[in-house]
Amino acid sequence: MLTVVLAPFAAALLAPLIVSRLRDRAALVLALVPASLFAWAMANLGEAFPGRIEATPWVPGLSVSLSFNLDGLSALFTLLITGIGTLVVLYAGGYLAGHVMLGRFFAILFAFMGAMLGVVLSDNMIALFVFWELTSLASYLLVGFEAAKPHARRSALQALLITGTGGLALLAGMILLAEAGGSWELSDLALAKSWLQASPLYGPALVLVLVGCFTKSAQWPFHSWLPGAMAAPTPVSAYLHSATMVKAGVYLLARLEPALGGTDVWLVSLGLVGGITMLMGAVFALLETDLKLVLAWTTVAALGTLVFLLAPSFEPSVKAAMAFLLVHALYKGALFMTAGNLDHEAGTRDLTRLRGLARAMPLTFAAAAMAAFSMAGLPASLGWVAKELIGLAKASDEIGLTLTAATAANAAGFAVACIAGLRPYLGQASEAAAEAHEAPWTMLAGPLLLGALGLVFGMAPQLAADLLIAPAAAAVLGTKPALEITLFKGFDWKFLLTLATFAAGAAIYLAWVRFGAEARARSAPVLERGPDRGYDHLLAGLAAFASWLTRLMQPGLLHRYVAATFAVVGLVVIAGAFRGPFALAPLGDGGKLIEWVVIVLTAAAALATALATTRLLAVTALGMVGLGVAMIFMLWSAPDLAITQFMVETLIVVILALILIRLPGFRITSEADRPGPGTIMIAAGAGVLVAVLMLGVLAEPFDPRLAEWFGANAVPGGLGRNVVNVILVDFRALDTLGEITVVVAAALGGIAAMMRFGRRRADAGGREDR
């Protein structure tokens, strides 16, 4: 499975080269990658229940492995990602034919595909999170692909900020889950349900995970990024909305349902948020005239429906969720591609200007009609099957909430199916229809195949049930459910409710035609003050807060930075000291006279450094402090350290003095630059704190274990008798290497600066000579 996940990333690296060689035919070659992965997933469907786990060591020292799990749920998503991905690659080859950045587009698209496969196949939560964040980054690049357009840049940033913030919450939730469940593997957490839910970490972990999933799947109130993402090219919209990014949050909720589901908090959170999102998306879809925005809002409604169905954590709703997940991927991918065909060949996506296109674009119309058939849930379509399963879930709902909310959303979905799948093609031809023509075959293959699959699965529902829906539901429920689908069960109350839903949907469509313009005009002020405007206000507020904080924390005065650093460090140290008993070592017999002389001179030099008004005086006084420290080393029988200290201090003073004579004089220029009483208190407190810490350390008995270990291992481990040298170059070799790297980098920077200065002087000399 690691190869399956890495294959799209390899294709991403090769895509620009292939496009540069094959131009518009590159899509035909590149589509072979997801097509072969789709074939692999189909060949391994038999292992989807009970599933197969493969692990490859990643960071063995931290017990982190790249473990992947192929069960019914991940197999369903893998088929959608690779199958629809194949059609989207073909579609993009026609839609973006001749685009100068086509190679870059395919590179990002394949990286996104690989990240999505990593999300749905990963069993390790760290690996899942890495792929999760890669989807956010790749979608940012895809949404902002038309970077010259301000709207595209704004939408891409909005999507990245919202989903990225949710990703941070998800990471924190995963850490708590691992702590409470004792494992980073999702398959292990599913088996530790009772243990995990009894943990006090369950509540915080659930909230954080839900925030991550809700932001990714555009649930209220985090949904504003999804309609904005329509700034992306249509192939991206079709892929994101049908099979990939927006479904990632739903996937993770379904994956974690065995571990986190079944509680009141889970039921209320998913039911409330999913219900609001479902109804909001259905209503907002009826208030738009841009075809892609209409479909985007129906995606919001569909995502809300999926979350809503996952809330009860019982078998009928889970089966309904898996069926609706499949049918939505098929019809939404097809409808987005037909919308792209209209935009590409008729020049507009405005529904008020699109009428009578069936004659000019008959195949696009056929694809849109088949997809609309499934979206409306009409008989002999997979949408009908999903609607039947949702009906069973409604019947199992004791409080009737599912019945009411889902029926209203279904009626709105029926109306939107008529608006998006039929209205642009029927009726008297509009001005746009006169100039329209049929799309090329690469832009027709995808929508026709997806639309037809919705009908094939609808007429052979047991095939979809046995092959895809039941194994996916089994991965969530833990046991394979019985799934016998009958297209017509008689004239019971559910059948009558379905007819009533169709009638309500037809009425909503007619009302949209008759009163849509007036409704849009009245709702415009409300929509303008919605969450999208709230995002702008939030971003402006954050920028103002950051500006205020920058002015407060970065006034340009070095002594304030140092004071703030020492204040924070001091508070942390004091807080740690109060957590346990703390004893001080006795001050001893008062010391020798020579020791007090050295200490007084060192303290006087430190005071002179703090009060210095010129750089040269400050450096000289600081050098005296260093020499005083060296004298202390000497008095306490550490001549090697003392000699090193003498050399360092001497070199620093000489080098800095040579530099300072080239610089302008250093003097305090204003009262604001002079350290105030607070800064002086922090400095004095830091000194006292260090002294107290030293006395506390000296009060503890000397632990010789490290010294003994280094002494015993210096020769056999480092082949050296100088223990200090062996420690530097062997036992802490990486640390030393890092220090040397810093010195080398600084030296290279200095050489580069001097060479640049030398060239500028040479150039100036040359101009003077001329």
Side-chain angles (χ1 to χ4, degrees):
M1 281 184 263
L2 179 61
T3 305
V4 172
V5 174
L6 295 181
F9 289 105
L13 296 175
L14 296 174
L17 177 62
I18 294 174
V19 171
S20 67
R21 296 292 180 88
L22 301 178
R23 301 296 179 185
D24 294 340
R25 293 173 296 166
L28 301 178
V29 176
L30 290 170
L32 295 176
V33 177
S36 59
L37 299 179
F38 178 82
W40 173 87
M42 287 295 296
N44 287 273
L45 265 183
E47 301 182 28
F49 186 83
R52 189 183 85 212
I53 294 179
E54 295 178 1
T56 303
W58 184 14
V59 189
L62 299 176
S63 301
V64 178
S65 61
L66 282 172
S67 54
F68 300 103
N69 182 10
L70 182 68
D71 60 4
L73 185 62
S74 55
L76 173 59
F77 271 89
T78 301
L79 287 171
L80 293 177
I81 293 167
T82 55
I84 296 180
T86 303
L87 301 176
V88 166
V89 170
L90 280 177
Y91 184 86
Y95 189 87
L96 296 172
H99 198 291
V100 293
M101 303 296 286
L102 185 59
R104 175 187 171 189
F105 175 83
F106 278 129
I108 303 171
L109 187 70
F110 274 103
F112 179 72
M113 185 185 297
M116 273 304 304
L117 286 173
V119 168
V120 302
L121 288 172
S122 291
D123 192 46
N124 182 275
M125 286 195 291
I126 294 178
L128 187 149
F129 176 75
V130 171
F131 289 120
W132 181 280
E133 290 301 274
L134 280 177
T135 63
S136 296
L137 184 60
S139 66
Y140 166 76
L141 298 173
L142 288 173
V143 174
F145 180 69
E146 300 287 351
K149 300 177 180 177
H151 177 58
R153 296 198 301 272
R154 187 252 187 199
S155 299
L157 181 62
Q158 183 182 21
L160 180 65
L161 289 179
I162 294 177
T163 58
T165 304
L168 293 177
L170 178 64
L171 176 61
M174 286 179 168
I175 293 172
L176 295 181
L177 281 181
E179 183 70 20
S183 174
W184 286 93
E185 305 300 313
L186 291 168
S187 54
D188 292 340
L189 294 179
L191 301 175
K193 179 175 183 176
S194 57
W195 185 14
L196 200 155
Q197 294 189 358
S199 168
L201 297 177
Y202 171 74
L206 177 62
V207 171
L208 291 168
V209 168
L210 290 184
V211 170
C213 294
F214 288 167
T215 53
K216 201 74 165 182
S217 282
Q219 298 296 297
W220 177 88
F222 310 109
H223 61 278
S224 61
W225 69 267
L226 193 147
M230 291 302 98
T234 297
V236 176
S237 303
Y239 203 32
L240 261 64
H241 285 245
S242 61
T244 54
M245 181 158 164
V246 297
K247 298 280 177 62
V250 174
Y251 164 79
L252 191 55
L253 287 175
R255 176 61 71 193
L256 290 173
E257 200 279 338
L260 303 178
T263 64
D264 292 340
V265 181
W266 175 275
L267 172 65
V268 172
S269 301
L270 270 66
L272 183 64
V273 173
I276 293 175
T277 306
M278 176 173 60
L279 295 176
M280 177 193 66
V283 172
F284 281 23
L286 297 170
L287 297 176
E288 296 288 349
T289 57
D290 185 316
L291 183 52
K292 282 183 68 175
L293 279 177
V294 171
L295 296 175
W297 281 113
T298 59
T299 298
V300 173
L303 295 171
T305 304
L306 288 168
V307 172
F308 191 77
L309 289 171
L310 290 173
S313 302
F314 66 153
E315 185 177 316
S317 64
V318 171
K319 290 190 293 189
M322 296 302 109
F324 186 64
L325 175 75
L326 175 61
V327 67
H328 176 261
L330 297 179
Y331 76 67
K332 188 52 63 73
L335 284 176
F336 262 111
M337 291 183 195
T338 57
N341 288 359
L342 292 178
D343 190 19
H344 201 267
E345 309 302 339
T348 180
R349 303 193 307 254
D350 190 345
L351 286 167
T352 62
R353 299 174 56 195
L354 292 171
R355 294 303 307 275
L357 284 157
R359 182 183 295 272
M361 306 177 70
L363 295 178
T364 299
F365 171 52
M370 289 188 290
F373 213 65
S374 284
M375 184 177 182
L378 293 173
S381 72
L382 189 58
W384 172 268
V385 176
K387 199 183 291 288
E388 284 294 300
L389 292 175
I390 293 174
L392 292 174
K394 295 174 187 175
S396 303
D397 179 14
E398 296 178 356
I399 59 177
L401 187 62
T402 306
L403 178 68
T404 306
T407 301
N410 285 342
F414 183 94
V416 173
C418 297
I419 295 169
L422 299 177
R423 181 174 172 78
Y425 307 95
L426 303 178
Q428 187 175 359
S430 63
E431 184 178 346
E435 302 294 332
H437 50 79
E438 190 54 278
W441 74 269
T442 52
M443 295 173 63
L444 289 170
L448 283 171
L449 184 57
L450 293 176
L453 272 178
L455 297 184
V456 170
F457 282 143
M459 288 182 283
Q462 204 58 46
L463 175 65
D466 295 338
L467 199 64
L468 301 171
I469 300 173
V476 181
L477 298 169
T479 58
K480 195 166 186 177
L483 192 55
E484 297 292 335
I485 296 178
T486 305
L487 290 179
F488 181 68
K489 297 181 179 178
F491 292 94
D492 54 5
W493 68 271
K494 293 192 290 293
F495 180 75
L496 295 177
L497 181 62
T498 300
L499 294 181
T501 304
F502 291 158
I508 293 172
Y509 170 71
L510 294 176
W512 183 87
V513 174
R514 180 74 181 272
F515 308 109
E518 183 180 353
R520 288 189 291 274
R522 290 189 175 186
S523 63
V526 178
L527 295 178
E528 290 177 355
R529 291 193 290 271
D532 194 52
R533 181 60 61 88
Y535 164 80
D536 291 333
H537 289 315
L538 177 63
L539 213 59
L542 286 175
F545 175 74
S547 178
W548 171 79
L549 193 63
T550 302
R551 290 195 301 273
L552 178 67
M553 300 299 295
Q554 298 184 9
L557 300 175
L558 181 60
H559 63 267
R560 288 196 184 181
Y561 302 152
V562 176
T565 303
F566 275 97
V568 173
V569 171
L571 290 174
V572 171
V573 171
I574 291 172
F578 277 102
R579 296 186 62 182
F582 188 79
L584 297 178
L587 293 177
D589 56 0
K592 301 177 182 177
L593 178 61
I594 184 64
E595 294 171 355
W596 280 107
V597 171
V598 172
I599 291 173
V600 169
L601 290 176
T602 305
L607 185 62
T609 304
L611 299 177
T613 56
T614 66
R615 290 192 177 98
L616 190 58
L617 178 58
V619 169
T620 305
L622 191 61
M624 291 298 294
V625 174
L627 294 177
V629 173
M631 287 297 296
I632 293 175
F633 289 152
M634 184 70 76
L635 292 174
W636 286 86
S637 304
D640 52 343
L641 285 178
I643 293 173
T644 304
Q645 185 76 18
F646 278 130
M647 294 177 64
V648 169
E649 292 299 333
T650 303
L651 284 174
I652 287 177
V653 171
V654 171
I655 293 172
L656 286 180
L658 292 174
I659 295 174
L660 290 177
I661 61 177
R662 294 278 188 173
L663 297 177
F666 165 72
R667 291 189 180 280
I668 296 175
T669 56
S670 68
E671 288 299 321
D673 296 334
R674 190 182 298 278
T679 304
I680 296 174
M681 290 179 63
I682 291 174
V688 172
L689 181 62
V690 171
V692 171
L693 285 177
M694 288 301 299
L695 291 174
V697 171
L698 293 174
E700 296 294 326
F702 179 69
D703 187 346
R705 286 179 296 173
L706 274 179
E708 292 173 354
W709 188 91
F710 283 128
N713 291 277
V715 174
L719 302 179
R721 297 189 180 279
N722 188 320
V723 178
V724 176
N725 285 346
V726 172
I727 291 175
L728 290 175
V729 300
D730 286 286
F731 296 135
R732 46 164 289 193
L734 287 178
D735 189 17
T736 305
L737 180 63
E739 294 172 350
I740 295 173
T741 304
V742 171
V743 173
V744 170
L748 292 175
I751 293 172
M754 287 188 288
M755 292 176 65
R756 181 180 177 85
F757 180 71
R759 284 198 298 270
R760 291 176 62 183
R761 291 190 63 179
D763 294 341
R767 284 195 296 271
E768 290 177 358
D769 293 340
R770 289 194 296 271

